[in-house]
């Protein structure tokens, strides 16, 4: 009864999230739907977006690992991370395995090895602040660093980087020199 | 810092020496009094937020005790939400379709036997139909199957458009998650081409839930029709079926209505899949099946291993 005894009953709150100002755009990319393809169109490769938030690691240290696996096939990436000594490597490997599992189960990816890392980056999470005591009653604010890690897996073989030979570069340079003009000339 | 300490303590020193003028001076030397230095710590201009939260749990317990002592009565907060149940949890006494249904034509001897069996229908179904007619005046075994087919077609069209409100009005709460699960991020294209045989009521039951008078009517309708279904995944790639090729489908639909409720409607409650139903066609992609559990040291023998097939059991969905 909503109006019993002149007192409105509170609806019990079921939402329990720690911070409401968190950006969930990366997870929403997994919910983007495409219209059915015509039979003559090229088969659209499947994409899986996955992330892990508030990892207890520095974003700068995570950057090195994220840069390392960018563009690798997923098997190669997992192998490299398994034998890397950094703390972030173990967490990144878990994230990649989770993403692979998600791709096969929910996103209709046929072969779990047929994926490559299209995008991989890390950024700053919410820091906790503590006091670091110095001498003479001075103090510093110590940041307990956290980072987020994002990864996008795409089905298929990774795109090959174009190999530019020295001769090609020299040719381009000479063409640039030849195509120079003098502006506002008579 | 030493100078600032001395400056702060000067008044104290003066205080001490003022008392030493009398005879107590000798006592002071033998029993020095404890010296409390009222020196302040350096003021912290930054207090991290976590420090304040540590004592909060203890504080709230204290507050509750204080409130109770003061006589303030706090009403218990009930985390309750009323749920409206308008359908049963399953199919009661499911209809067992006879083997070889729709495989034998009516002209052969076996076909005739089957038809006569079907016409008899069984006593319990007749009783149930009579009970249903008591509550619902418009129910007839002749007109109902046509309505049932309409409900079926409308429900599946609403599923392709994913029209939640319409789907809830055509399909019970038990059937809704079964129809919708996994399909939210998929595109479905379904088309009802034609009906090969006129639909028929084959089975009816009237179970009552929880209390004695709470009657629900469940009617099974047999439908033989031609349909096309194509399922596309999130990226628009064909997962299953095809849009051009229609298939002949024999289905046993269960429709339900809350008879006691005057505003109740006949809604799709589930389907019965017989044990002898033909195997569904496999999906386009290859799927990995988990292999046998191996002990350490054993090896997987490919030639001797047979993929286990599921048992052919009647189930209703």
């Amino acid at each position: 009864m909503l109006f019993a005894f002149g007192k409105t009953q509170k609806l019990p709150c079921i939402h329990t999230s720690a911070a409401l100002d968190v950006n969930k755009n990366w997870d929403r990319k997994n919910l983007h739907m495409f219209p059915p393809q015509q039979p003559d169109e090229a088969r659209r490769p499947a994409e899986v977006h996955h992330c892990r938030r508030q990892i207890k690691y520095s974003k700068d240290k995570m950057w090195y690992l994220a840069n390392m696996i960018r563009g690798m096939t997923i098997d190669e990436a997992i192998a490299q991370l398994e034998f890397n000594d950094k703390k972030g490597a173990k967490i990144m490997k878990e994230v990649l395995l989770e993403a692979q599992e998600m791709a096969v189960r929910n996103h209709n990816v046929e072969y779990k090895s047929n994926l490559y890392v299209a995008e991989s980056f890390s950024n700053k999470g919410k820091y906790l602040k503590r006091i670091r005591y110095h001498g003479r009653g001075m103090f510093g604010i110590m940041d307990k660093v956290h980072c987020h890690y994002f990864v996008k897996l795409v089905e298929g073989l990774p795109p090959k980087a174009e190999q530019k030979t020295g001769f090609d570069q020299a040719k381009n340079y000479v063409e640039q020199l030849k195509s120079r003009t003098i502006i506002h000339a008579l | 810092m030493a100078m600032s300490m001395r400056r702060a303590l000067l008044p104290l020193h003066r205080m001490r020496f003022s008392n030493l003028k009398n005879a107590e001076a000798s006592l002071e030397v033998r029993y020095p009094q404890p010296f409390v230095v009222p020196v302040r710590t350096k003021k912290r201009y930054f207090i991290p937020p976590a420090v304040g939260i540590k004592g909060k749990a203890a504080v709230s317990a204290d507050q509750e005790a204080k409130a109770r002592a003061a006589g303030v009565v706090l009403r218990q907060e009930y985390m309750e939400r009323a749920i409206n149940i308008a359908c049963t949890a399953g199919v009661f006494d499911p209809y067992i379709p006879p083997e070889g249904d729709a495989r034998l034509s009516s002209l052969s001897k076996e076909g005739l036997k089957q038809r006569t069996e079907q016409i008899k229908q069984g006593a319990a179904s007749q009783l149930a139909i009579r009970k249903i007619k008591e509550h619902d005046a418009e129910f007839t075994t002749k007109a109902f199957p046509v309505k049932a087919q309409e409900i079926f077609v409308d429900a599946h069209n609403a599923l392709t458009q994913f029209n939640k409100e319409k789907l809830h009005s055509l399909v019970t709460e038990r059937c809704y998650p079964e129809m919708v699960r996994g399909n939210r991020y998929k595109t479905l294209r379904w088309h009802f081409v034609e009906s090969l045989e006129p639909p028929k009521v084959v089975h009816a039951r009237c179970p009552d839930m929880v209390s004695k008078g709470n009657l629900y009517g469940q009617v099974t309708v047999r439908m033989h029709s031609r349909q096309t279904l194509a399922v596309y995944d999130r990226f628009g790639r064909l997962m299953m079926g095809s849009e051009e090729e229609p298939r002949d489908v024999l289905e046993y639909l269960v429709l339900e209505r809350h008879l006691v409720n005057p505003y109740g409607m006949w809604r799709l409650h589930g389907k019965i899949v017989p044990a002898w139903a033909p195997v569904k066609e496999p999906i386009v992609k290859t799927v990995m099946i988990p292999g046998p559990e191996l002990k350490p040291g054993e090896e997987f023998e490919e030639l001797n291993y047979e993929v286990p097939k599921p048992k052919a059991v009647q189930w209703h969905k």
Side-chain angles (χ1 to χ4, degrees), chain B residues 259-275:
Chain B
L259 295 168
V260 183
N261 179 9
Y263 304 108
M265 289 195 297
W266 284 103
R267 295 186 294 176
L268 193 60
H269 190 60
K271 265 196 216 177
I272 293 180
V273 179

Side-chain angles (χ1 to χ4, degrees), chain A residues 57-174:
Chain A
Y57 201 50
S58 159
K59 67 175 182 359
D60 302 311
K61 294 177 194 167
M62 202 61 143
W63 180 84
Y64 288 109
L65 295 163
N67 237 23
M68 180 175 81
I69 67 164
R70 207 169 283 156
M72 284 190 186
T73 50
I74 191 158
D75 289 336
E76 215 181 305
I78 291 172
Q80 290 296 324
L81 291 171
E82 196 174 322
F83 295 103
N84 192 309
D85 296 325
K86 290 183 185 282
K87 171 173 148 182
K90 191 168 160 192
I91 299 162
M92 268 171 81
K93 189 179 129 184
E94 280 169 30
V95 174
L96 283 178
L97 287 169
E98 267 174 34
Q100 192 185 44
E101 183 64 40
M102 257 167 64
V104 170
R105 206 183 293 179
N106 303 342
H107 295 89
N108 194 31
V109 163
E110 203 165 341
Y111 304 109
K112 66 176 192 181
S113 299
N114 197 24
L115 294 160
Y116 72 93
V117 177
E119 285 174 26
S120 124
F121 56 92
S122 70
N123 61 11
K124 169 184 169 307
K126 285 256 182 335
Y127 289 172
L128 294 174
K129 301 214 197 321
R130 299 282 179 269
I131 303 184
R132 194 202 185 277
Y133 298 96
H134 292 277
R136 292 179 154 244
M138 302 296 218
F139 65 92
I141 311 172
M142 183 159 58
D143 284 325
K144 295 284 184 189
V145 291
H146 290 80
C147 66
H148 303 314
Y149 175 63
F150 304 90
V151 76
K152 170 171 151 180
L153 300 174
V154 175
E155 209 179 1
L157 287 168
K160 273 187 213 143
E162 214 185 278
Q163 293 291 339
K164 253 196 161 169
T165 55
F167 179 77
D168 229 357
Q169 285 178 324
K171 205 167 95 172
N172 277 341
Y173 178 63
V174 168

Side-chain angles (χ1 to χ4, degrees), chain B residues 163-211:
Chain B
N163 190 348
K164 267 198 269 189
E165 293 96 18
K166 200 163 164 211
L167 205 53
H168 270 295
S169 69
L170 291 164
V171 149
T172 59
E173 286 81 34
R174 182 222 173 233
C175 184
Y176 178 83
E178 285 170 2
M179 276 182 103
V180 163
R181 186 163 295 155
N183 295 342
R184 188 133 152 241
Y185 300 108
K186 296 195 177 95
T187 325
L188 297 168
R189 290 234 173 115
W190 181 84
H191 186 59
F192 187 83
V193 181
E194 58 170 358
S195 170
L196 296 167
E197 282 172 21
K200 269 195 318 193
V201 171
V202 281
H203 195 71
R205 286 286 181 271
C206 257
D208 35 1
M209 289 283 285
V210 186
S211 57

Side-chain angles (χ1 to χ4, degrees), chain B residues 42-235:
Chain B
K42 180 163 174 138
K43 184 163 165 61
R44 313 271 167 198
Y45 290 100
F46 170 76
I47 303 161
V51 172
I53 293 168
K54 256 187 239 174
K56 220 180 190 180
V59 166
S60 67
D62 283 333
Q63 277 177 353
E64 266 183 66
K66 276 187 199 163
R68 229 178 288 147
V72 176
V73 179
L74 288 165
R75 207 210 292 199
Q76 272 278 355
E77 268 193 48
Y78 292 106
M79 301 284 275
E80 274 176 1
R81 231 181 181 181
I83 311 170
N84 211 7
I85 305 175
C87 72
T88 45
V91 184
F92 288 89
D93 211 1
Y95 171 64
I96 302 170
E99 272 248 20
D101 200 9
R103 306 271 182 88
L104 308 162
S105 71
S106 304
L107 301 170
S108 66
K109 200 164 124 198
E110 287 94 22
L112 270 172
K113 250 201 297 189
Q114 237 182 43
R115 293 289 169 270
T116 45
E117 271 176 41
Q118 279 173 2
I119 289 162
K120 267 192 273 172
Q121 259 189 18
S125 294
Q126 294 290 356
L127 273 170
I129 291 172
R130 215 177 300 162
K131 237 191 216 173
I132 293 170
K133 282 192 186 166
E134 266 173 37
H135 291 269
D136 183 11
E138 289 173 356
F139 182 82
T140 47
T141 359
K142 298 250 162 50
F144 183 72
V146 179
K147 204 171 121 194
Q149 197 168 58
E150 279 169 32
I151 294 173
F152 175 78
V153 173
D154 286 334
H156 281 71
N157 283 329
L159 181 63
T160 49
Q161 310 305 322
F162 201 64
N163 190 348
K164 267 198 269 189
E165 293 96 18
K166 200 163 164 211
L167 205 53
H168 270 295
S169 69
L170 291 164
V171 149
T172 59
E173 286 81 34
R174 182 222 173 233
C175 184
Y176 178 83
E178 285 170 2
M179 276 182 103
V180 163
R181 186 163 295 155
N183 295 342
R184 188 133 152 241
Y185 300 108
K186 296 195 177 95
T187 325
L188 297 168
R189 290 234 173 115
W190 181 84
H191 186 59
F192 187 83
V193 181
E194 58 170 358
S195 170
L196 296 167
E197 282 172 21
K200 269 195 318 193
V201 171
V202 281
H203 195 71
R205 286 286 181 271
C206 257
D208 35 1
M209 289 283 285
V210 186
S211 57
K212 199 177 175 255
N214 197 13
L215 272 180
Y216 287 85
Q218 285 180 351
V219 179
T220 314
V221 173
R222 175 192 177 274
M223 230 176 66
H224 195 42
S225 56
R226 196 167 272 162
Q227 298 164 18
T228 52
L229 176 67
V231 179
Y232 296 91
D233 67 355
R234 215 186 103 212
F235 305 100

